[in-house]
Amino acid sequence: MARIAYILLCHKDTDAIIKQAERLTAVGDYMSIHFDASADPALYQTIRDALISNPNVTFAQKRIRCGWGEWSLVQATLYAVEAAVKAFPRATHFYMLSGDCMAIKSAEYTHQFLDDNEADFIESFDYFNSDWIKTGWTKERLIYRHWFNERTQKKLFYGMFHLQKRLGLTRKIPSDIQVQIGSQWWCLRRQTIETLLEFCKKRRDVIRFFRTTWIPDETFFQTLVPHIVPKNEIRTRTLTFLMFTDYGMPVTFHNDHYDLLVSQDYLFARKISADARDLKRRLGLLYSAKNVAFQISNEGRNLYKFLTGRGRIGRRFSTRFWETESTLGREREMLIVVCKKWHVAKRVLERIRQVTNVPALEYVFNEEDTPLPALGGIEKTLGKRTRHRRALMRMLFDYFETDRLIVCMDPGNLDLLEDFAADRSTTRILEIDCHFSDDYLIGHAMRVGLAGDQTSRETLRRLLPTIRNDMVFESDAIRDSHFEHHSRLRESASTDRNASELAEFLGVTHEKAHEITSTEYLFID
């Protein structure tokens, strides 16, 4: 059975470190600790005194001062790994942790997971061809030497960089390695760790190279593991669940995140708030629990993006080229059916096709596989359609040889509605107002990745009001835009009332509109 040696790098919060070590070793696992040498020596002594009698805890034989972006973080990790290899010969896996990580699965589940997956878990993406680095330096991290800390010695750091750049003092990457990049949170098998330590002893040229690269904790292990381990034995992912805000800061988890965390397809989570005492208590009890059945829904990232995005709805301040250089045409009419229940809008559209001769298209800007004629490639992807929205619609008007065209849109496409409404052409909007049952909202959450088959009822109960409010918000935003030609079909309204609204939208007789709205199955889910 798997037995894990946890590699813990830390520099503060002695109580949390002691509790974490006691918790993780209580079930037979191990821990090797490197406590930053720049921290108060008294804090380090407190940790040693508390854990010295624990045979499953060891400490790095040498401590160094650690700095963000420096080689010191890698060296501290290697010191802790070397101590763990020596102290714990029965350890089968080595798992990198920080002081604010916590297990989100039981030890029983964790050990079984590692037994079932004979592989190393480490993010390892091509340094130059992947998009792991979103902004900032790429090759500059490697081809120039970095001796100083960018945060505490900024003038020296950038001064030496610009001097090397001006003098052309670049260096080559060791010819036999392919630099990779990824998260520093990994879980490696014992044979991989032992081979890696041997490699470090033999290849001092590689060590010298990484010693002066910038942020080597994102490249050192990520490069060497694929160099010494067959590709089919590597899972390019981390087993630690972490997310980042739009500002590049780690998302912090609090007491009310317990259900979300334990349902993710990960073994640990980072980072747990120091104030989340109840969350720490519950997760601490979970690690030693037996026979716990975990329902893995793995919706965490989509859910976070959805919920945080509600407060970031902005407006653009400059016109796009298609707004200034193209128009649908002053004499044309664009009829837009807006409905959150796409199947209802498609039924209405089908009935309109049967009763009128107006060409009608479904969710052009929402569904990739909406049937469209060949238009020279502009119709190939949703991204192209949205970027060149007016050009696309103008081509569709020309293709169908018509001055009236109907399309469907999701209520979330407010920017498109405003854009078309601002055109010289006439834009008419028919909003279809439907009822949303809890079952429908749950299905919607699953379709868009906010929930999964195994999402707990409690999580759904807390999520549904937010989704429902989001749909109300979209409808209110449409009404607040005060579009000139805005009609509404309501599931709760009478057939006759809906016929009046539809007649105004289509410009047809009340009788023809009534023929459409009297369809019995129009609003059925």
Side-chain angles (χ1 to χ4, degrees), residues 211-226:
R211 275 183 181 276
T212 51
T213 60
W214 190 41
I215 322 182
D217 55 313
E218 293 179 350
T219 55
F220 180 76
F221 292 98
Q222 297 79 356
T223 298
L224 295 193
V225 171

Side-chain angles (χ1 to χ4, degrees), residues 120-138:
D120 296 305
F121 290 85
I122 182 169
E123 283 191 354
S124 184
F125 304 102
D126 187 277
Y127 186 88
F128 295 101
N129 296 323
S130 71
D131 63 348
W132 203 87
I133 300 176
K134 303 298 182 185
T135 59
W137 288 352
T138 50

Side-chain angles (χ1 to χ4, degrees), residues 400-445:
F400 288 108
E401 298 180 347
T402 183
D403 287 332
R404 303 186 80 217
L405 186 63
I406 305 174
V407 296
C408 293
M409 284 190 197
D410 188 89
N413 295 133
L414 182 62
D415 58 334
L416 272 71
L417 295 174
E418 291 177 335
D419 188 35
F420 286 124
D423 192 78
R424 295 172 185 170
S425 62
T426 300
T427 300
R428 298 185 182 277
I429 296 172
L430 176 69
E431 184 183 358
I432 303 179
D433 187 5
C434 301
H435 296 155
F436 298 106
S437 66
D438 286 353
D439 287 342
Y440 175 82
L441 293 178
I442 290 172
H444 173 76

Side-chain angles (χ1 to χ4, degrees), residues 436-438 441 463-473:
F436 298 106
S437 66
D438 286 353
L441 293 178
L463 179 60
L464 290 185
T466 303
I467 299 176
R468 191 182 299 278
N469 290 338
D470 196 58
M471 293 180 176
V472 172
F473 174 83

Side-chain angles (χ1 to χ4, degrees), residues 305-314 470 473:
K305 183 178 179 182
F306 169 75
L307 294 175
T308 56
R310 300 311 92 201
R312 301 199 184 111
I313 299 172
D470 196 58
F473 174 83

Side-chain angles (χ1 to χ4, degrees), residues 59 102 128 146-147 192 194 249 344 363 438 447 451 480 518:
F59 293 85
M102 282 200 73
F128 295 101
H146 304 279
W147 293 283
T192 300
E194 291 176 343
M249 301 299 292
V344 172
Y363 284 85
D438 286 353
R447 285 191 294 274
D480 290 343
S518 61

Side-chain angles (χ1 to χ4, degrees), residues 5-9 31-32 76-77 80-81 84 94-98 186:
Y6 291 106
I7 309 301
L8 180 65
L9 265 57
M31 179 171 286
S32 178
T77 305
V81 166
F94 295 75
Y95 196 121
M96 179 75 179
L97 289 178
S98 71
W186 41 255

